Amino acid sequence: MKIAVFSAQPYDRRFLDDALARRQAGGALALQYFTEPLSLQSVALAQGCGAVCVFVNDALDAGVLAALAAQGVRAVLLRCAGYNNVDLAAAARLGLFVARVPAYSPEAVAEFTLALVLTLNRHTHRAYARVREGNFALDGLLGSNLHGKTVGLIGLGKIGLAAARIFHGFGCRVLGYDPAPPAGFRALGQAAQLPALLAASDIVSLHCPLLPATHHLLDAAALARMKPGAMLVNTSRGGLLDTGAVIDALKSRHLGALAIDVYEQESELFFHDHSADIISDDVFQRLLTFPNVLVTGHQGFFTTEALREIAETTFDNLECHRAGKPCANACLAT
Ligand code: NAI
């Protein structure tokens, strides 16, 4: 069987090739790599393939899924946890198997969240640049201790819980909001309703999925509820934030700092080198002008351990499907 791998980067190729080599001698699977994202324009590349392997910014709407099914594709293998980019109802109607990698490394994203918080709080990114220019002045680099601060986690799944363990270890008071809080959270923090969490937290970090119910979860009204001067961190999905409202909150100085690893319109930008291009997204460019905003390009997951796990689980999911066995990682329409 041939598998069309879309949005393939050199590191995807390396880890998928390694995983495939480890598990098959006979060559029953062949990977075809395409740097293009999957869309209606690129869907024909999957001609002759039994499966496609895709990532966060590939668009699997009803039209693309219908075109895939018409070409004989039977399985959609997500190399990520989130599946907000797949029309699951359409996939079910077309009889397509869709599976994801639910937990490739919660610690990778939770630790990256910490990296963002510590960088913004202690200005290590600015200190790095200053020192290289021979400027050892400390003015402008003043931070505050994390110890004793209140951290509000929105979403207490695998990543939220890993973040709770880390913040707890730093001596923070941890609040968590989740419609279904896991029992394991009780030893680390206190469950709270969203308005109370927003009002009490010095740092608010998002770890819930992007769903119709969570789109723009942090809009102008929610941002207004946040403690003045608080820090907001989003390593989950860009659509959880109303970016326009976030910019207003930064301009009014109500929001003290922002770190984002994800952005609602990121598919136009992220995972590619645009250093020689003129970026036409004025909202994104405005974000980059704030000294108290840190933006990274969806790299929270990007560790060796996570990429290895993504590759292994991707092939496990396909094997499950081919053997006709129930797959715990299948994404089902609700
Ligand atoms: P998970 O499925 O283990 O946990 C999600 C949690 O969010 C669940 O406990 C669920 O009950 C909760 N939740 C659902 N609706 C909610 C709401 N309205 N408010 C608060 N909580 C709500 O997912 P996991 O593995 O912890 O991942 C969380 C998100 O992180 C993913 O959906 C994905 O969008 C993002 N992610 C980002 C990565 C990156 O590289 N930056 C990498 C991997 C995931």
Side-chain angles (χ1 to χ4, degrees), residues 148-173:
K149 294 289 182 301
T150 300
V151 178
L153 303 173
I154 302 178
L156 297 170
K158 291 172 285 297
I159 295 172
L161 213 49
R165 283 193 290 273
I166 295 173
F167 284 113
H168 179 70
F170 266 76
C172 298
R173 175 181 170 234

PDB file of all heavy atoms in Angstrom, residues 148-173:
ATOM      1  N   GLY A 148       4.835  30.820  44.333  1.00  0.00           N
ATOM      2  CA  GLY A 148       3.793  31.583  45.026  1.00  0.00           C
ATOM      3  C   GLY A 148       2.755  32.206  44.101  1.00  0.00           C
ATOM      4  O   GLY A 148       1.735  32.713  44.559  1.00  0.00           O
ATOM      5  N   LYS A 149       2.994  32.171  42.780  1.00  0.00           N
ATOM      6  CA  LYS A 149       2.013  32.754  41.846  1.00  0.00           C
ATOM      7  C   LYS A 149       0.856  31.778  41.607  1.00  0.00           C
ATOM      8  O   LYS A 149       0.999  30.566  41.784  1.00  0.00           O
ATOM      9  CB  LYS A 149       2.677  33.073  40.503  1.00  0.00           C
ATOM     10  CG  LYS A 149       3.724  34.179  40.603  1.00  0.00           C
ATOM     11  CD  LYS A 149       3.090  35.534  40.830  1.00  0.00           C
ATOM     12  CE  LYS A 149       4.119  36.655  40.887  1.00  0.00           C
ATOM     13  NZ  LYS A 149       5.132  36.520  41.940  1.00  0.00           N
ATOM     14  N   THR A 150      -0.273  32.330  41.180  1.00  0.00           N
ATOM     15  CA  THR A 150      -1.427  31.490  40.857  1.00  0.00           C
ATOM     16  C   THR A 150      -1.465  31.248  39.348  1.00  0.00           C
ATOM     17  O   THR A 150      -1.423  32.197  38.561  1.00  0.00           O
ATOM     18  CB  THR A 150      -2.730  32.173  41.315  1.00  0.00           C
ATOM     19  OG1 THR A 150      -2.649  32.368  42.731  1.00  0.00           O
ATOM     20  CG2 THR A 150      -3.947  31.327  40.994  1.00  0.00           C
ATOM     21  N   VAL A 151      -1.506  29.969  38.975  1.00  0.00           N
ATOM     22  CA  VAL A 151      -1.533  29.590  37.556  1.00  0.00           C
ATOM     23  C   VAL A 151      -2.882  28.929  37.259  1.00  0.00           C
ATOM     24  O   VAL A 151      -3.268  27.974  37.939  1.00  0.00           O
ATOM     25  CB  VAL A 151      -0.389  28.603  37.229  1.00  0.00           C
ATOM     26  CG1 VAL A 151      -0.440  28.172  35.763  1.00  0.00           C
ATOM     27  CG2 VAL A 151       0.968  29.233  37.534  1.00  0.00           C
ATOM     28  N   GLY A 152      -3.586  29.414  36.263  1.00  0.00           N
ATOM     29  CA  GLY A 152      -4.880  28.845  35.886  1.00  0.00           C
ATOM     30  C   GLY A 152      -4.743  28.036  34.613  1.00  0.00           C
ATOM     31  O   GLY A 152      -4.343  28.579  33.572  1.00  0.00           O
ATOM     32  N   LEU A 153      -5.050  26.759  34.674  1.00  0.00           N
ATOM     33  CA  LEU A 153      -4.946  25.888  33.506  1.00  0.00           C
ATOM     34  C   LEU A 153      -6.343  25.606  32.966  1.00  0.00           C
ATOM     35  O   LEU A 153      -7.203  25.112  33.705  1.00  0.00           O
ATOM     36  CB  LEU A 153      -4.251  24.573  33.886  1.00  0.00           C
ATOM     37  CG  LEU A 153      -2.851  24.728  34.501  1.00  0.00           C
ATOM     38  CD1 LEU A 153      -2.328  23.373  34.986  1.00  0.00           C
ATOM     39  CD2 LEU A 153      -1.886  25.350  33.505  1.00  0.00           C
ATOM     40  N   ILE A 154      -6.555  25.913  31.706  1.00  0.00           N
ATOM     41  CA  ILE A 154      -7.859  25.657  31.076  1.00  0.00           C
ATOM     42  C   ILE A 154      -7.705  24.390  30.243  1.00  0.00           C
ATOM     43  O   ILE A 154      -7.035  24.398  29.211  1.00  0.00           O
ATOM     44  CB  ILE A 154      -8.295  26.862  30.221  1.00  0.00           C
ATOM     45  CG1 ILE A 154      -8.369  28.119  31.101  1.00  0.00           C
ATOM     46  CG2 ILE A 154      -9.636  26.577  29.548  1.00  0.00           C
ATOM     47  CD1 ILE A 154      -8.737  29.379  30.348  1.00  0.00           C
ATOM     48  N   GLY A 155      -8.306  23.310  30.729  1.00  0.00           N
ATOM     49  CA  GLY A 155      -8.109  21.991  30.107  1.00  0.00           C
ATOM     50  C   GLY A 155      -7.119  21.205  30.936  1.00  0.00           C
ATOM     51  O   GLY A 155      -5.963  21.614  31.102  1.00  0.00           O
ATOM     52  N   LEU A 156      -7.606  20.096  31.494  1.00  0.00           N
ATOM     53  CA  LEU A 156      -6.762  19.267  32.377  1.00  0.00           C
ATOM     54  C   LEU A 156      -6.646  17.862  31.824  1.00  0.00           C
ATOM     55  O   LEU A 156      -6.785  16.874  32.541  1.00  0.00           O
ATOM     56  CB  LEU A 156      -7.352  19.230  33.794  1.00  0.00           C
ATOM     57  CG  LEU A 156      -7.404  20.576  34.515  1.00  0.00           C
ATOM     58  CD1 LEU A 156      -8.217  20.463  35.790  1.00  0.00           C
ATOM     59  CD2 LEU A 156      -6.001  21.083  34.814  1.00  0.00           C
ATOM     60  N   GLY A 157      -6.425  17.783  30.511  1.00  0.00           N
ATOM     61  CA  GLY A 157      -6.189  16.470  29.899  1.00  0.00           C
ATOM     62  C   GLY A 157      -4.734  16.097  30.111  1.00  0.00           C
ATOM     63  O   GLY A 157      -4.119  16.469  31.106  1.00  0.00           O
ATOM     64  N   LYS A 158      -4.190  15.384  29.127  1.00  0.00           N
ATOM     65  CA  LYS A 158      -2.815  14.882  29.293  1.00  0.00           C
ATOM     66  C   LYS A 158      -1.809  16.030  29.416  1.00  0.00           C
ATOM     67  O   LYS A 158      -0.943  16.011  30.290  1.00  0.00           O
ATOM     68  CB  LYS A 158      -2.470  13.977  28.102  1.00  0.00           C
ATOM     69  CG  LYS A 158      -3.267  12.668  28.127  1.00  0.00           C
ATOM     70  CD  LYS A 158      -3.085  11.864  26.875  1.00  0.00           C
ATOM     71  CE  LYS A 158      -3.818  12.388  25.671  1.00  0.00           C
ATOM     72  NZ  LYS A 158      -5.292  12.402  25.756  1.00  0.00           N
ATOM     73  N   ILE A 159      -1.948  17.052  28.565  1.00  0.00           N
ATOM     74  CA  ILE A 159      -0.973  18.158  28.602  1.00  0.00           C
ATOM     75  C   ILE A 159      -1.245  19.059  29.817  1.00  0.00           C
ATOM     76  O   ILE A 159      -0.309  19.455  30.523  1.00  0.00           O
ATOM     77  CB  ILE A 159      -1.024  18.971  27.284  1.00  0.00           C
ATOM     78  CG1 ILE A 159      -0.580  18.084  26.114  1.00  0.00           C
ATOM     79  CG2 ILE A 159      -0.131  20.207  27.375  1.00  0.00           C
ATOM     80  CD1 ILE A 159      -0.772  18.691  24.734  1.00  0.00           C
ATOM     81  N   GLY A 160      -2.512  19.366  30.057  1.00  0.00           N
ATOM     82  CA  GLY A 160      -2.852  20.217  31.206  1.00  0.00           C
ATOM     83  C   GLY A 160      -2.368  19.612  32.517  1.00  0.00           C
ATOM     84  O   GLY A 160      -1.837  20.305  33.383  1.00  0.00           O
ATOM     85  N   LEU A 161      -2.522  18.308  32.631  1.00  0.00           N
ATOM     86  CA  LEU A 161      -2.097  17.620  33.856  1.00  0.00           C
ATOM     87  C   LEU A 161      -0.566  17.633  33.977  1.00  0.00           C
ATOM     88  O   LEU A 161      -0.021  17.845  35.066  1.00  0.00           O
ATOM     89  CB  LEU A 161      -2.620  16.182  33.820  1.00  0.00           C
ATOM     90  CG  LEU A 161      -3.002  15.526  35.143  1.00  0.00           C
ATOM     91  CD1 LEU A 161      -3.908  16.408  35.993  1.00  0.00           C
ATOM     92  CD2 LEU A 161      -3.682  14.180  34.880  1.00  0.00           C
ATOM     93  N   ALA A 162       0.116  17.432  32.851  1.00  0.00           N
ATOM     94  CA  ALA A 162       1.595  17.501  32.877  1.00  0.00           C
ATOM     95  C   ALA A 162       2.042  18.911  33.259  1.00  0.00           C
ATOM     96  O   ALA A 162       2.993  19.084  34.036  1.00  0.00           O
ATOM     97  CB  ALA A 162       2.168  17.101  31.509  1.00  0.00           C
ATOM     98  N   ALA A 163       1.334  19.924  32.755  1.00  0.00           N
ATOM     99  CA  ALA A 163       1.665  21.315  33.117  1.00  0.00           C
ATOM    100  C   ALA A 163       1.387  21.548  34.605  1.00  0.00           C
ATOM    101  O   ALA A 163       2.165  22.220  35.292  1.00  0.00           O
ATOM    102  CB  ALA A 163       0.857  22.285  32.260  1.00  0.00           C
ATOM    103  N   ALA A 164       0.292  20.969  35.093  1.00  0.00           N
ATOM    104  CA  ALA A 164      -0.046  21.126  36.526  1.00  0.00           C
ATOM    105  C   ALA A 164       1.068  20.552  37.394  1.00  0.00           C
ATOM    106  O   ALA A 164       1.453  21.149  38.411  1.00  0.00           O
ATOM    107  CB  ALA A 164      -1.373  20.427  36.826  1.00  0.00           C
ATOM    108  N   ARG A 165       1.608  19.404  36.994  1.00  0.00           N
ATOM    109  CA  ARG A 165       2.704  18.798  37.779  1.00  0.00           C
ATOM    110  C   ARG A 165       3.912  19.736  37.817  1.00  0.00           C
ATOM    111  O   ARG A 165       4.532  19.918  38.862  1.00  0.00           O
ATOM    112  CB  ARG A 165       3.114  17.447  37.144  1.00  0.00           C
ATOM    113  CG  ARG A 165       2.157  16.313  37.441  1.00  0.00           C
ATOM    114  CD  ARG A 165       2.772  14.959  37.079  1.00  0.00           C
ATOM    115  NE  ARG A 165       2.903  14.770  35.635  1.00  0.00           N
ATOM    116  CZ  ARG A 165       1.933  14.269  34.848  1.00  0.00           C
ATOM    117  NH1 ARG A 165       0.784  13.876  35.372  1.00  0.00           N
ATOM    118  NH2 ARG A 165       2.123  14.143  33.547  1.00  0.00           N
ATOM    119  N   ILE A 166       4.211  20.355  36.682  1.00  0.00           N
ATOM    120  CA  ILE A 166       5.394  21.223  36.614  1.00  0.00           C
ATOM    121  C   ILE A 166       5.180  22.484  37.455  1.00  0.00           C
ATOM    122  O   ILE A 166       6.030  22.863  38.266  1.00  0.00           O
ATOM    123  CB  ILE A 166       5.713  21.586  35.144  1.00  0.00           C
ATOM    124  CG1 ILE A 166       6.102  20.323  34.362  1.00  0.00           C
ATOM    125  CG2 ILE A 166       6.833  22.612  35.076  1.00  0.00           C
ATOM    126  CD1 ILE A 166       6.265  20.541  32.864  1.00  0.00           C
ATOM    127  N   PHE A 167       4.037  23.145  37.273  1.00  0.00           N
ATOM    128  CA  PHE A 167       3.784  24.381  38.022  1.00  0.00           C
ATOM    129  C   PHE A 167       3.700  24.092  39.519  1.00  0.00           C
ATOM    130  O   PHE A 167       4.161  24.883  40.346  1.00  0.00           O
ATOM    131  CB  PHE A 167       2.505  25.078  37.523  1.00  0.00           C
ATOM    132  CG  PHE A 167       2.694  25.800  36.213  1.00  0.00           C
ATOM    133  CD1 PHE A 167       2.069  25.371  35.055  1.00  0.00           C
ATOM    134  CD2 PHE A 167       3.515  26.926  36.144  1.00  0.00           C
ATOM    135  CE1 PHE A 167       2.248  26.038  33.852  1.00  0.00           C
ATOM    136  CE2 PHE A 167       3.705  27.606  34.947  1.00  0.00           C
ATOM    137  CZ  PHE A 167       3.069  27.161  33.797  1.00  0.00           C
ATOM    138  N   HIS A 168       3.110  22.964  39.867  1.00  0.00           N
ATOM    139  CA  HIS A 168       3.043  22.555  41.270  1.00  0.00           C
ATOM    140  C   HIS A 168       4.468  22.434  41.829  1.00  0.00           C
ATOM    141  O   HIS A 168       4.770  22.893  42.937  1.00  0.00           O
ATOM    142  CB  HIS A 168       2.291  21.219  41.367  1.00  0.00           C
ATOM    143  CG  HIS A 168       2.169  20.681  42.747  1.00  0.00           C
ATOM    144  ND1 HIS A 168       1.360  21.259  43.708  1.00  0.00           N
ATOM    145  CD2 HIS A 168       2.753  19.614  43.348  1.00  0.00           C
ATOM    146  CE1 HIS A 168       1.453  20.580  44.824  1.00  0.00           C
ATOM    147  NE2 HIS A 168       2.297  19.577  44.640  1.00  0.00           N
ATOM    148  N   GLY A 169       5.348  21.833  41.017  1.00  0.00           N
ATOM    149  CA  GLY A 169       6.750  21.678  41.432  1.00  0.00           C
ATOM    150  C   GLY A 169       7.464  23.008  41.622  1.00  0.00           C
ATOM    151  O   GLY A 169       8.414  23.096  42.399  1.00  0.00           O
ATOM    152  N   PHE A 170       7.018  24.030  40.917  1.00  0.00           N
ATOM    153  CA  PHE A 170       7.618  25.361  41.055  1.00  0.00           C
ATOM    154  C   PHE A 170       7.088  26.099  42.284  1.00  0.00           C
ATOM    155  O   PHE A 170       7.494  27.219  42.549  1.00  0.00           O
ATOM    156  CB  PHE A 170       7.309  26.201  39.804  1.00  0.00           C
ATOM    157  CG  PHE A 170       8.381  26.144  38.759  1.00  0.00           C
ATOM    158  CD1 PHE A 170       8.525  25.033  37.942  1.00  0.00           C
ATOM    159  CD2 PHE A 170       9.267  27.198  38.588  1.00  0.00           C
ATOM    160  CE1 PHE A 170       9.508  24.977  36.977  1.00  0.00           C
ATOM    161  CE2 PHE A 170      10.257  27.141  37.625  1.00  0.00           C
ATOM    162  CZ  PHE A 170      10.387  26.026  36.815  1.00  0.00           C
ATOM    163  N   GLY A 171       6.149  25.486  42.987  1.00  0.00           N
ATOM    164  CA  GLY A 171       5.583  26.142  44.166  1.00  0.00           C
ATOM    165  C   GLY A 171       4.477  27.120  43.817  1.00  0.00           C
ATOM    166  O   GLY A 171       4.210  28.065  44.560  1.00  0.00           O
ATOM    167  N   CYS A 172       3.826  26.915  42.677  1.00  0.00           N
ATOM    168  CA  CYS A 172       2.696  27.774  42.290  1.00  0.00           C
ATOM    169  C   CYS A 172       1.408  27.215  42.893  1.00  0.00           C
ATOM    170  O   CYS A 172       1.295  26.020  43.150  1.00  0.00           O
ATOM    171  CB  CYS A 172       2.542  27.814  40.774  1.00  0.00           C
ATOM    172  SG  CYS A 172       3.964  28.497  39.915  1.00  0.00           S
ATOM    173  N   ARG A 173       0.433  28.102  43.053  1.00  0.00           N
ATOM    174  CA  ARG A 173      -0.928  27.656  43.383  1.00  0.00           C
ATOM    175  C   ARG A 173      -1.593  27.372  42.030  1.00  0.00           C
ATOM    176  O   ARG A 173      -1.654  28.272  41.172  1.00  0.00           O
ATOM    177  CB  ARG A 173      -1.642  28.786  44.115  1.00  0.00           C
ATOM    178  CG  ARG A 173      -3.091  28.526  44.420  1.00  0.00           C
ATOM    179  CD  ARG A 173      -3.684  29.743  45.128  1.00  0.00           C
ATOM    180  NE  ARG A 173      -5.120  29.625  45.237  1.00  0.00           N
ATOM    181  CZ  ARG A 173      -5.978  30.561  44.807  1.00  0.00           C
ATOM    182  NH1 ARG A 173      -5.547  31.696  44.277  1.00  0.00           N
ATOM    183  NH2 ARG A 173      -7.266  30.372  44.935  1.00  0.00           N
TER     184      ARG A 173
END
